Amino acid sequence: MSGNAITMQMVFQPSSVDVLDSFTMRWLMPTNLSTHKVAVKAFRYPENYYDSERIYRKVSREIGILTILRHDNIVPLLGIATGFGRRPDLPSLVTPWIPNGTLNVYLASRHNDLTVLDRSRMLEDVSAGLRYCQFHFFSQDAMVT
């Protein structure tokens, strides 16, 4: 993140995903000096997993994929940061802060309030994001019909 992050408000967030620890913080935008709330997501590995080179390759691959994704229904990667989570030496993902959390958290907290139309629109949005990934990352030969 090029030294643009300031940790005015770094709060550990219990993760709804078993592979990430989440933190919130403020990110100072160098262009206009405004701050934005962001999520920092540190990959979670077992304490006794010591193959650092393999972990780093997996994290780097994930970052490489997220770097090229550009779609309205996929949370963008703003950058990477170190010093977070159980393995502070590994890069962590920096994404925009999503106030409603993950889709699972949102659905669990709002399941009684969502209309059939709301659910249908969410399904269409998820489908659009998956179609984008399928088109960009899988060849026509590899697709299952």
Side-chain angles (χ1 to χ4, degrees), residues 42-43 45 49-53 55-56 59 80-92:
F43 290 93
Y45 284 92
Y49 194 82
Y50 296 110
D51 190 352
S52 293
E53 187 176 318
I55 292 172
Y56 192 81
V59 170
I80 59 172
T82 55
F84 293 90
R86 298 174 187 176
R87 298 286 306 268
D89 56 313
L90 292 175
S92 298

Side-chain angles (χ1 to χ4, degrees), residues 89-110:
D89 56 313
L90 292 175
S92 298
L93 308 175
V94 180
T95 65
W97 176 254
I98 307 297
N100 292 320
T102 65
L103 180 59
N104 286 339
V105 169
Y106 180 76
L107 290 174
S109 67
R110 301 274 318 269

